[in-house]
Amino acid sequence: MNWETVIGLEVHLQLATRSKLFSGAATAFGAAPNTQACAIDLALPGTLPVLNRAAVEMAIRFGLAVHAEINPISVFERKNYFYPDLPKGYQTTQLARPIVGPGHLDIELTDGGSKRVRIHHAHLEEDAGKSLHEGFHGLSGIDLNRAGTPLIEIVTEPDLASAEEAVAFAKKLHAIVTALSISDGDLSQGSMRFDVNISVRRPGEPLGTRTETKNLNSFRFMERAIHKEVARQIDVLEGGGRVIQETRLYDGDTDSARAMRSKEEANDYRYFPCPDLLPLQVDAELIERLRATQPELPEARRARFVTDYGLSDYDAGQLAGDTATAHYFEAAARAAGDAKLAANWVMGEIAARLNSAELGIGQCPVSPEQLGGLLRRIVDHTLSNAIARQVFEELWRGAAADADSVIEAQGLRQVSDSGAIAAMVDAVIGANAQQVAAYRAAPEAKRPKMLGFFVGQVMKASGGKADPRQVNELVAARLAEDA
Amino acid sequence: MHDLTLAEMCDGLARRAFSSIELTRHLLARIAAANPRYNAFITVDEAGALARAETADARLAAGDAPALCGVPIAHKDIFCTRGLRTSCGSRMLDNFIAPYDATVVERLAAAGAVTLGKTNMDEFAMGSSNETSYYGPVKNPWAPDCVPGGSSGGSAAAVAARLAPGATATDTGGSIRQPAALCGITGLKPTYGRVSRWGMIAFASSLDQAGPMARSAEDAALLLQAMAGFDERDSTCLDRPVPDYRAALDQPLAGLRIGLPAEYFGAGLNPGTARAVRDALAEFERQGARLVDIRLPHSDLAVPAYYVIAPAEASANLSRFDGVRYGHRCANPRDLRDLFMRTRAEGFGAEVKRRILVGTYCLSAGYYDAYYHKAQQVRRLIRQDFLDAFAQVDLILGPTCPNPAFAFGAKGGDPVAMYLEDIYTIAANLAGLPALSVPCGLVDGKPVGLQIIGNYFDEARMLAAAHGFQRATDWHRRQPEALAEAGA
């Protein structure tokens, strides 16, 4: 018996504004507790909110990127509930009239096709603070640094049919918001958090009862949590039970989930328009100005990489998807003067090293300029690939400012002096009479393979510095001419 | 010296007839002597006042004095004052000291005014009698067994008792005009958005507006001049030029079209009050104004709509008082729920709790449309009534309150009877219109207020009308007999 999975996402995206949604306090992450909360964030009596224009512009930029309607009038409302890290006793958010209306985002499927995922709306809201439950001897600590940080909540239609599609959507969203520079996209710091609404049904039947798994902060956790919840619901239904509408919490460390609260216990949030904020009016002029200055989005960038750099569609997709990687690649390609070589290194050596060191491209110890400088020395035959990797190692360690100084200091310049190479070739041929005889006796078809032995010996003698192309030619010539 | 109007004090200070220190000391001494009787002040800032007075005298001597330099005033205890307790009349904030000044406080200080202290008020401005204050009721200087009105009863009594020539106040449903009427002084609620609400503790954000209380329209004009103007910290504050209110005071009343809403002169209006208001209207007519009968057909819906909208907003505005960050916190909370519940049970008085409950109910799922949404529709109808009326008239006049000051406890058992005291004042808040009250007579020895409602941002015309009336009458100069006998 087969089941269909129906998934909708709610994504909380922290906007990369310098100050908060309704106050001038800074939003930088990691400051000492309660040092980035001003009187407004603390909800001292008499304080009032003033909307951050930058956050509004970022929300509009997002809306434009997902082909959404930007609502000319949107309204902030108060969502009322008591919690110690919610200073006002309400969250200022948007409900009935959000700033971003319906839109869509296309994702690529593993079979090479694509799928359109509808976005129901996206709205602006403020984040709450944090409750800290450890280190207070049985009490809870409150850190209000995050209180008032601007978020947009992006709500999709239930258009996703699998964990893989959900992750593909999340990654695409991540690529777009980082390309727009409206979020730092740092999932580990909670800049992007996913709530996943999941239900299953038999094909052709109406939607099943859904559950909501909250606050997933990595693509991997999201994928695992969905697989787990889908399996659980199928188990329940196949066992003759029914799925209860509830909110669930997934713990990535133990790969397990538990019910947090059922719908029956849900709060009545008593939303009503916030009387401290007038309806937000966005005029067409602002929308057009933002449209005209939208940064390049991953899809357009991918096409450009194919035409401008001659990359394959696959390689272009790999490099264009993540804005930081794309910028790194383009800077390295400029410095190297060879885009394809730069692409290979960024996707190869750099990606592998970052991966094993668990670093993002932003933390890469080798700058794109340094990498480009190194690659330039491959292009002009100063370095062989093997030696280039050796130089890269020095740059990665931070031992040198650029490739040229490593080459200079360690005498790694590739030997391209044909006299010196010829002498080494002669020495190798002289020292290996048996192999030379065997080579000469061998049929033509077998010779190229046997040639490798001599080339290897010469390279070894040169300490790897000989230009392998040159060595190849000289060895072949010498063996042929004495025959 | 305390009998001088605020304008006369400004004049005397400028002429160096007396110093700000002398004036401030004199009023501080009066407050020390009289406050036990009236309970008009919650906090008196003697040291702060004298320090400011000294600074003011230096500026007066140096000749660079701003408009109100050296004039002592009082602030309603709803305005945050840096370093000086702001209680809002509640146990909840009995220990609260704000780290900032309200814009109103800041502007008056910039104009040179000297803060004497913070005046008593109904708890969180919820009340029409000052009986809900955690600090006890204020006594009406005209009749010590009667209420001063509310919520700005402390400011009204302080001005009426000549403890301060002027005071700040706030008005959500009549909280400036009603106590002004009951205490025989002049009080103005400006257009919503004319004065910044920054630093003013919110009761109902879409209705709250700060304004001046003083003994005359001229004094109110001087205070409003300093208080009004755009403030980027309040998103509902309007960026419109502030006219010279004092310069506009002498506009003649002749030709003024004055609307008299039938709904404000119907059943429920005290006959004595009605007579006093009619007499006042005759004076306007005598000066050349034309009286026009008008209708405000949705007037009877103002009180019910108000008692949905104001509590709804208040229920959210007062959620921040949870014992977590400041203010009252219950002792030894067992857990989070206990902390919230006991803190709020202990910190708030009965009327505040009643309104939080009403507001929470009105916003609840299933009731929102029937109450909150409906009340907002009514609000638009009421606003439209006024827009239609102002197409025909320049000002709307009528009684400020149906009755003069009532005795303590007279309406304590019946909240609705208390709410009906604001029957003529609430509509202006719902519409966001400016309105003022001037004394226009006495009934049984107690003052009666005449209300003047103006069109949006028409405060100058309203003040001029009030000033024209006060030039021809002396109700605003009357003082309680007790004061006169005390040799004032």
Side-chain angles (χ1 to χ4, degrees):
Chain A
M1 292 267 261
N2 59 331
W3 291 90
E4 264 179 18
T5 303
V6 179
I7 299 171
L9 294 181
E10 290 167 26
V11 186
H12 286 91
L13 180 75
Q14 223 169 70
L15 296 176
T17 54
R18 282 195 303 274
S19 60
K20 294 189 176 177
L21 186 54
F22 298 115
S23 85
T27 52
F29 183 83
N34 299 310
T35 56
Q36 292 189 158
C38 69
I40 295 170
D41 307 319
L42 293 172
L44 292 191
T47 58
L48 295 169
V50 175
L51 181 59
N52 182 337
R53 186 184 176 93
V56 173
E57 295 192 357
M58 287 181 181
I60 295 171
R61 284 198 186 280
F62 172 77
L64 293 175
V66 297
H67 319 283
E69 300 160 22
I70 307 301
N71 288 322
I73 304 267
S74 62
V75 174
F76 285 98
E77 305 205 25
R78 293 180 178 180
K79 177 183 181 179
N80 296 285
Y81 63 98
F82 285 99
Y83 208 70
D85 60 23
L86 186 73
K88 293 190 295 290
Y90 56 81
Q91 179 196 30
T92 308
T93 179
Q94 299 184 313
L95 182 74
R97 304 181 75 178
I99 181 161
V100 176
H104 62 82
L105 190 61
D106 294 337
I107 57 169
E108 273 126 58
L109 304 178
T110 40
D111 65 7
S114 80
K115 179 174 193 174
R116 174 151 296 185
V117 179
R118 291 168 300 156
I119 288 169
H120 181 270
H121 78 270
H123 64 256
L124 273 164
E125 64 182 25
E126 58 180 343
D127 210 342
K130 277 182 182 160
S131 296
L132 311 167
H133 301 296
E134 276 161 38
F136 293 95
H137 313 286
L139 300 175
S140 290
I142 305 295
D143 177 6
L144 295 176
N145 282 355
R146 202 181 64 181
T149 298
L151 303 174
I152 48 175
E153 182 176 336
I154 302 151
V155 180
T156 75
E157 297 285 358
D159 286 352
L160 298 156
S162 67
E164 291 69 28
E165 286 187 17
V167 169
F169 177 85
K171 286 186 171 168
K172 186 77 180 271
L173 200 61
H174 184 267
I176 286 179
V177 300
T178 48
L180 292 170
S181 301
I182 63 171
S183 173
D184 64 13
D186 190 343
L187 274 69
S188 69
Q189 311 291 18
S191 291
M192 210 172 173
R193 311 192 288 268
F194 303 95
D195 300 344
V196 190
N197 288 290
I198 303 169
S199 65
V200 299
R201 65 172 169 190
R202 300 288 188 191
E205 287 188 355
L207 287 173
T209 304
R210 69 186 153 88
T211 63
E212 183 180 23
T213 304
K214 283 190 101 72
N215 261 327
L216 299 164
N217 63 356
S218 86
F219 299 131
R220 196 157 44 100
F221 287 169
M222 183 164 122
E223 186 164 10
R224 282 206 218 145
I226 294 173
H227 280 308
K228 221 164 186 89
E229 177 58 12
V230 168
R232 187 190 71 85
Q233 290 189 13
I234 292 174
D235 264 3
V236 166
L237 293 171
E238 291 190 342
R242 62 182 191 92
V243 173
I244 297 163
Q245 186 169 347
E246 62 189 3
T247 302
R248 299 177 65 82
L249 207 58
Y250 174 81
D251 182 349
D253 295 334
T254 59
D255 187 26
S256 61
R258 60 182 171 81
M260 217 161 70
R261 57 170 183 260
S262 76
K263 198 192 176 232
E264 286 68 35
E265 300 162 46
N267 283 315
D268 175 358
Y269 291 116
R270 306 187 310 278
Y271 285 90
F272 75 103
C274 180
D276 287 329
L277 293 160
L278 301 172
L280 169 60
Q281 197 173 331
V282 177
D283 52 39
E285 204 180 321
L286 173 65
I287 295 173
E288 287 321 305
R289 182 172 66 72
L290 293 174
R291 197 194 301 279
T293 55
Q294 275 293 75
E296 185 179 42
L297 294 178
E299 264 169 60
R301 189 155 56 209
R302 176 182 190 158
R304 183 168 61 82
F305 281 7
V306 171
T307 46
D308 285 12
Y309 298 124
L311 300 184
S312 72
D313 194 48
Y314 178 82
D315 287 357
Q318 291 285 299
L319 291 168
D322 175 59
T323 299
T325 304
H327 286 163
Y328 188 100
F329 156 69
E330 290 204 88
R334 252 194 318 277
D338 185 331
K340 279 189 184 170
L341 184 62
N344 287 338
W345 273 72
V346 172
M347 290 185 295
E349 192 72 17
I350 295 274
R353 293 300 298 267
L354 289 174
N355 195 31
S356 64
E358 294 187 354
L359 293 175
I361 191 91
Q363 291 115 39
C364 183
V366 178
S367 73
E369 290 72 25
Q370 286 177 313
L371 178 67
L374 171 64
L375 301 186
R376 206 161 51 233
R377 294 296 163 251
I378 297 178
V379 174
D380 69 8
H381 304 301
T382 305
L383 298 179
S384 65
N385 271 318
I387 298 291
R389 254 187 283 279
Q390 218 173 297
V391 175
F392 177 79
E393 200 58 43
E394 298 298 305
L395 295 174
W396 181 274
R397 285 200 302 122
D402 55 41
D404 286 353
S405 56
V406 180
I407 293 166
E408 216 52 58
Q410 303 191 8
L412 295 176
R413 189 170 294 278
Q414 181 163 268
V415 179
S416 52
D417 170 353
S418 52
I421 295 176
M424 282 186 272
V425 170
D426 284 346
V428 167
I429 285 176
N432 294 285
Q434 221 180 326
Q435 282 85 349
V436 171
Y439 177 88
R440 287 177 178 159
E444 193 70 32
K446 286 197 171 177
R447 282 186 179 175
K449 203 173 174 187
M450 297 171 79
L451 195 67
F453 166 77
F454 299 100
V455 172
Q457 291 294 310
V458 174
M459 289 305 292
K460 199 167 155 190
S462 77
K465 286 188 276 180
D467 178 352
R469 196 170 36 90
Q470 226 174 341
V471 173
N472 231 339
E473 280 169 19
L474 280 173
V475 169
R478 281 284 281 117
L479 289 171
E481 96 200 6
D482 280 16
Chain B
M1 213 168 356
H2 55 267
D3 245 352
L4 301 174
T5 66
L6 195 143
E8 288 162 351
M9 285 183 189
C10 284
D11 195 41
L13 287 164
R15 286 188 291 105
R16 317 295 311 282
F18 43 81
S19 68
S20 177
I21 281 278
E22 286 169 314
L23 184 56
T24 303
R25 280 222 174 93
H26 176 74
L27 292 174
L28 285 170
R30 273 185 74 77
I31 293 168
N35 202 49
R37 193 155 66 243
Y38 303 123
N39 198 26
F41 283 82
I42 292 173
T43 304
V44 178
D45 184 20
E46 187 169 334
L50 291 173
R52 278 172 207 270
E54 204 174 316
T55 309
D57 280 334
R59 296 190 70 176
L60 285 159
D64 71 334
L68 303 177
C69 195
V71 178
I73 59 161
H75 288 299
K76 184 177 181 180
D77 208 16
I78 200 169
F79 293 100
C80 287
T81 42
R82 190 206 310 261
L84 184 64
R85 176 177 64 168
T86 301
S87 75
C88 219
S90 180
R91 181 185 182 192
M92 188 60 91
L93 292 178
D94 186 45
N95 63 1
F96 178 69
I97 297 175
Y100 45 83
D101 279 333
T103 300
V104 162
V105 172
E106 198 178 88
R107 290 196 176 194
L108 283 164
V114 171
T115 303
L116 293 167
K118 310 289 290 287
T119 58
N120 204 346
M121 56 183 284
D122 278 300
E123 185 178 9
F124 285 103
M126 297 178 188
S128 307
S129 68
N130 232 287
E131 292 170 292
T132 74
S133 171
Y134 173 61
Y135 301 91
V138 175
K139 310 268 171 42
N140 191 323
W142 290 83
D145 57 337
C146 285
V147 304
S151 66
S152 313
S155 287
V159 172
R162 276 53 171 173
L163 307 181
T168 57
T170 61
D171 189 317
T172 305
S175 281
I176 290 176
R177 290 159 287 159
Q178 185 252 16
L182 269 48
C183 288
I185 62 165
T186 302
L188 166 64
K189 178 201 99 73
T191 308
Y192 184 80
R194 176 75 289 182
V195 175
S196 169
R197 293 186 297 116
W198 171 262
M200 185 176 119
I201 298 177
F203 161 15
S205 313
S206 75
L207 301 161
D208 295 344
Q209 185 60 200
M213 282 182 148
R215 293 220 303 276
S216 68
E218 182 182 25
D219 289 0
L222 284 170
L223 289 171
L224 182 62
Q225 198 72 48
M227 294 167 76
F230 180 62
D231 177 9
E232 60 183 12
R233 290 172 296 186
D234 174 4
S235 306
T236 62
C237 191
L238 276 90
D239 190 1
R240 291 185 50 142
V242 180
D244 186 335
Y245 296 116
R246 196 185 195 179
L249 285 174
D250 290 324
Q251 286 172 25
L253 271 57
L256 214 54
R257 297 168 302 166
I258 290 176
L260 308 178
E263 294 79 3
Y264 286 27
F265 291 90
L269 178 60
N270 179 298
T273 301
R275 253 192 317 279
V277 171
R278 293 277 177 207
D279 289 349
L281 294 172
E283 173 56 32
F284 280 87
E285 217 171 7
R286 199 189 59 77
Q287 292 192 35
R290 191 153 56 83
L291 303 183
V292 183
D293 287 327
I294 60 163
R295 301 299 303 263
L296 296 171
H298 297 96
S299 291
D300 60 331
L301 297 177
V303 170
Y306 174 87
Y307 277 98
V308 170
I309 293 168
E313 292 182 9
S315 72
N317 282 335
L318 270 61
S319 291
R320 66 188 59 199
F321 305 109
D322 58 7
V324 174
R325 298 167 310 286
Y326 52 80
H328 178 68
R329 176 188 289 177
C330 69
N332 306 313
R334 280 190 312 280
D335 53 24
L336 197 54
R337 205 179 155 79
D338 188 42
L339 167 72
F340 288 155
M341 290 180 59
R342 215 143 43 80
T343 293
R344 291 168 67 81
E346 294 167 3
F348 292 139
E351 183 61 26
V352 171
K353 286 176 191 162
R354 183 177 2 257
R355 297 201 195 187
I356 291 173
L357 287 173
V358 168
T360 302
Y361 179 83
C362 293
L363 292 173
S364 298
Y367 298 99
Y368 181 92
D369 284 340
Y371 293 104
Y372 184 80
H373 185 68
K374 183 66 74 183
Q376 292 292 3
Q377 291 175 320
V378 168
R379 188 174 185 173
R380 280 191 287 276
L381 293 176
I382 287 170
R383 180 172 183 270
Q384 192 58 49
D385 280 357
F386 280 108
L387 292 178
D388 294 345
F390 282 119
Q392 311 167 48
V393 299
D394 302 309
L395 297 171
I396 294 170
L397 266 61
T400 306
C401 318
N403 296 295
F406 46 90
F408 288 106
K411 297 177 196 285
D414 185 355
V416 176
M418 184 77 86
Y419 299 166
L420 288 172
E421 282 303 303
D422 298 330
I423 193 161
Y424 306 134
T425 49
I426 275 175
N429 298 83
L430 290 171
L433 290 166
L436 63 74
S437 178
V438 289
C440 70
L442 292 170
V443 172
D444 304 332
K446 292 184 284 192
V448 170
L450 170 75
Q451 181 173 220
I452 302 177
I453 303 173
N455 209 337
Y456 297 102
F457 294 97
D458 215 4
E459 287 84 355
R461 196 202 300 257
M462 295 156 57
L463 286 164
H467 184 66
F469 177 71
Q470 290 182 338
R471 262 188 323 206
T473 58
D474 71 346
W475 298 111
H476 64 293
R477 290 205 199 88
R478 304 281 183 98
Q479 57 176 318
E481 268 174 39
L483 285 183
E485 283 164 11

